[in-house]
Amino acid sequence: MREVSATEFARNFGQYREIVQREPVAVTSHGRTTGYFVSPVEYEELQRYKHLMQRSFATKDLSAEHIAAIAGGHMAAEHDHLDALLENE
């Protein structure tokens, strides 16, 4: 990700409008990031993710297939030490 000052961004907006098609641009002011300039594609993707995060599901609405998948799940052996921590409490 490219980082530029607000002054540089304003002076060369056309250049950054092209750069943002390849990578986001962080705009800074007085040494701290004050915003990001992103492509329309990246912005739309962010909006889709935000929409998905706002959705929640009640367990009663899950299909039998989803319930079976959840019930059949298990932790990888590499996390066994975490089970041991729970057993000690």
Side-chain angles (χ1 to χ4, degrees):
M1 176 184 316
R2 192 169 297 220
E3 187 175 295
V4 297
S5 70
T7 303
E8 165 71 12
F9 181 76
R11 275 193 201 129
N12 298 299
F13 177 76
Q15 175 186 352
Y16 293 108
R17 188 177 56 212
E18 297 300 319
I19 291 171
V20 79
Q21 300 308 312
R22 296 184 304 276
E23 64 180 318
V25 176
V27 181
T28 64
S29 180
H30 303 287
R32 68 181 191 87
T33 302
T34 56
Y36 295 92
F37 188 43
V38 297
S39 71
V41 170
E42 194 158 346
Y43 179 78
E44 289 167 8
E45 187 174 289
L46 174 63
Q47 293 302 324
R48 279 193 303 276
Y49 287 137
K50 283 176 65 175
H51 176 73
L52 288 173
M53 288 175 45
Q54 293 173 355
R55 294 178 63 192
S56 62
F57 301 94
T59 53
K60 68 181 179 72
D61 296 333
L62 290 174
S63 69
E65 181 179 295
H66 283 112
I67 293 170
I70 292 168
H74 64 282
M75 293 295 291
E78 66 191 61
H79 302 295
D80 285 347
H81 66 284
L82 298 174
D83 288 335
L85 292 174
L86 292 172
E87 292 170 3
N88 293 334
E89 288 192 16

